[in-house]
Amino acid sequence: MMTKGPRTGRKGEPPPLSADSVADTAGGLTFDIACTGDTRAAHLVLRRGDGEEVALPLAPAEPGRLRAALPSSVDLPEGRWDAYAIFADGAPHRLAPGVTDLRALAGRVPGEASARIAVRIPYATEEGTVAVRSWLRAPHAEAAELRVGENGLKVSGRVYGTGLAPQAYAEVRERGGPQAVLRAEVTGGEAEFGFTVRYAPLAPGIWDLWLRPAGEEGPRVRIARLLDDVADKEPVFRYPRAAVSAEHGEVEAWPYFTVDNDLSVTVSAVR
């Protein structure tokens, strides 16, 4: 996906500097900023909501443009990071999205030996500035196809960073409260997995989906969809609701992606 964003600024502040961003298949990012004047000691700073920062040097790329690179080998902890340019005066300048080239992410398939999945997706915030959404998962269970039926949800996907043992299974875990946990049998082999979430046993609430690739003794891996160019799945991927006569009465159930692009199921009582 290649997009071009607006250029905006808060009232009383100069317009943000325009920044183009390009993603590569390995998980790296490159930022090009249109800038003139004194650009000594320039850095691109990514700042998370808790105050943690990652600073990247900005170097001349061509007349009137500076470039910063975030290679896949540099850790960027999970979260949402606002982007700034900082020069010798120390004042942070917000960045406005210019051309955003995410085409390399659309068909991204990590290598079989990938022990860790690093995903960074630049995007435009509601204020019209540049931010980066980052994930680090080791291991990672990628949700591929979701098939919604009248009685349940069929999930297929692939696990990275580990394989599937014969005792592998999926967990459907209730969020909050007593946190009931239901098991679903996993089919597949090596790295490919599939399972079905039956709606009937689920009480009203939110249920999160996990993979246990090594059974009870191994890691619990959150199932998510990360390997594409969509930073926020929830408003983009919408799935139909199913009316079910469940053990807890008449309910509606449907899958959705959370704000972190993890896969969950919502169950709502029909009044």
Side-chain angles (χ1 to χ4, degrees), residues 118-138:
V119 178
R120 294 87 172 264
I121 304 178
Y123 68 98
T125 68
E126 293 182 354
E127 292 78 24
T129 56
V130 175
V132 175
R133 185 68 174 91
S134 175
W135 292 265
L136 283 175
R137 301 285 172 98

Side-chain angles (χ1 to χ4, degrees), residues 38-49:
D38 186 358
T39 58
R40 293 173 298 173
H43 285 79
L44 185 143
V45 173
L46 299 175
R47 182 179 297 160
R48 200 165 60 173

